[in-house]
């Protein structure tokens, strides 16, 4: 049954009981047909995995008594994926889904100087994050932030060390991350502007190459995270 890990919002968890609501409750009751007495697993997105026994069930609410709790500490090395907004919805969603699978601590989408403006459906992205979180069996649910410029990114992540994927960088080998908190920066389809590259240099960003080919923005985003898969 560990194949299905439900999401229980921390607000719906007390010392010995948890509640699944909305889509999670509907999924447990209608699709997977859980019954009273069945055991389920639920994660709160804050490092805790609960084994619990269903005590009441309806389409809207599943109540379960907590039998066991397993806690995973926060990663010591955090990787925040920051990328310039991608106009095409399917490509943007692909980047977000893969970022969750590949272990981004947070995801930040910003309006880059060369981003083509388009409306982002934040609610839809949130549900993509949640299903990728469950599917990849992560314990910490990444938050998604939306910021207006690279300047705002640096202000928001003041204590983070920037690493920029830059098509003109000449290093060939991915290095390991030497800081606890890292901002992995990827440009939009139109690339970073000179102003943004200068700003990143002023912030002492490490410039890295992702190989000799020019990658699409969403490929670059997941390649960036793949460089540091075992860094946690
Ligand atoms: N015309 C743009 C340029 O020359 O900068 C291309 C941008 S590329 C489609 C989108 C982003 O992916 C870039 O801003 C960069 O962050 C990243 N990227 C793509 N290929 C890369 C590579 N080979 N090395 C480093 N970064 C790369």
């Amino acid at each position: 049954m560990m194949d299905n890990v439900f999401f229980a919002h921390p607000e719906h968890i007390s010392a010995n009981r948890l509640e699944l609501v909305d889509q999670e409750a509907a999924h447990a009751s209608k699709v997977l047909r859980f019954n009273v007495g069945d055991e389920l697993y639920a994660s709160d997105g804050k490092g805790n995995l609960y084994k619990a026994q269903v005590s009441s069930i309806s389409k809207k609410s599943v109540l379960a008594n907590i039998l066991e709790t397993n806690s995973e500490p926060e990663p010591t090395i955090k990787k925040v994926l920051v990328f310039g907004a991608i106009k095409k919805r399917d490509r943007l969603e692909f980047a977000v889904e893969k970022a969750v699978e590949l272990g981004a601590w947070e995801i930040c989408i910003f309006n880059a100087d060369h981003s083509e403006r388009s409306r982002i459906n934040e609610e839809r992205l949130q549900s993509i994050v949640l299903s990728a979180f469950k599917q990849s069996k992560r314990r910490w649910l990444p938050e998604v932030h939306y910021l207006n410029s690279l300047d705002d990114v640096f202000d928001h992540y003041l204590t983070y060390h920037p690493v920029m994927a830059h098509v003109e960088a000449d290093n060939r080998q991915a290095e390991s991350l030497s800081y606890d908190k890292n901002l992995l920066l990827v440009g939009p389809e139109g690339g970073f502007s000179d102003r943004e590259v200068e700003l990143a240099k002023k912030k002492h960003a490490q410039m890295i190459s992702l190989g000799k080919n020019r990658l699409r923005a969403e490929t670059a985003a997941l390649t960036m995270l793949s460089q540091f898969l075992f860094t946690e």
Side-chain angles (χ1 to χ4, degrees):
M1 278 309 208
M2 251 296 267
D3 273 355
N4 288 296
V5 177
F6 296 95
F7 174 68
H9 194 283
E11 280 176 10
H12 296 145
I13 299 171
S14 65
N16 49 17
R17 212 162 78 146
L18 62 81
E19 182 181 20
L20 308 179
V21 297
D22 303 331
Q23 284 181 359
E24 297 300 286
H27 192 62
S29 59
K30 295 286 156 215
V31 182
L32 299 173
R33 300 191 169 277
F34 273 80
N35 289 310
V36 170
D38 286 345
E39 287 178 2
L40 58 76
Y41 286 88
S43 170
D44 64 358
K46 297 280 176 202
N48 301 305
L49 176 72
Y50 303 96
K51 183 176 174 184
Q53 188 173 39
V54 176
S55 59
S56 83
I57 188 157
S58 73
K59 199 180 151 197
K60 292 214 160 116
S61 162
V62 176
L63 287 171
N65 297 320
I66 296 173
L67 306 172
E68 276 174 41
T69 305
N70 254 291
S71 301
E72 185 184 284
E74 280 190 19
T76 43
I77 298 183
K78 300 194 170 95
K79 297 163 281 186
V80 174
L81 176 71
V82 179
F83 64 92
I86 299 172
K87 189 168 191 275
K88 287 213 161 156
R89 194 178 82 177
D90 54 342
R91 294 181 184 276
L92 173 75
E93 292 177 354
F94 178 82
V96 167
E97 180 184 81
K98 299 309 155 202
V100 177
E101 290 174 42
L102 294 167
W105 172 249
E106 281 183 10
I107 298 164
C108 173
I109 303 170
F110 73 102
N111 279 321
D113 289 347
H114 294 165
S115 278
E116 288 182 62
R117 299 287 182 270
S118 68
R119 210 183 66 78
I120 293 179
N121 185 338
E122 296 182 18
E123 209 174 302
R124 204 179 136 93
L125 280 187
Q126 191 52 40
S127 84
I128 288 170
V129 168
L130 194 58
S131 65
F133 160 80
K134 292 194 293 177
Q135 187 273 333
S136 57
K137 295 196 161 63
R138 287 190 59 179
R139 295 287 165 262
W140 290 88
L141 179 67
E143 284 181 16
V144 186
H145 293 285
Y146 301 90
L147 295 175
N148 271 327
S149 64
L150 188 60
D151 312 62
D152 286 0
V153 170
F154 286 125
D155 288 348
H156 184 83
Y157 292 102
L158 217 49
T159 57
Y160 278 69
H161 174 70
V163 179
M164 179 178 260
H166 187 33
V167 284
E168 284 163 30
D170 53 14
N171 74 323
R172 292 183 167 228
Q173 198 106 52
E175 292 167 36
S176 57
L177 298 171
S178 26
Y179 293 82
D180 289 352
K181 294 168 157 186
N182 301 279
L183 274 190
L184 305 182
L185 304 165
V186 174
E189 273 312 305
F192 285 114
S193 67
D194 292 346
R195 186 193 77 80
E196 288 167 331
V197 173
E198 282 317 306
L199 177 63
K201 285 183 178 161
K202 235 171 73 189
K203 302 284 179 188
H204 308 290
Q206 180 188 346
M207 298 289 171
I208 68 163
S209 166
L210 299 176
K212 64 181 170 52
N213 300 340
R214 192 183 61 174
L215 307 176
R216 275 192 178 278
E218 72 277 14
T219 319
L222 70 93
T223 306
M224 185 69 156
L225 278 166
S226 313
Q227 307 292 309
F228 310 110
L229 281 183
F230 294 98
T231 309
E232 288 198 313

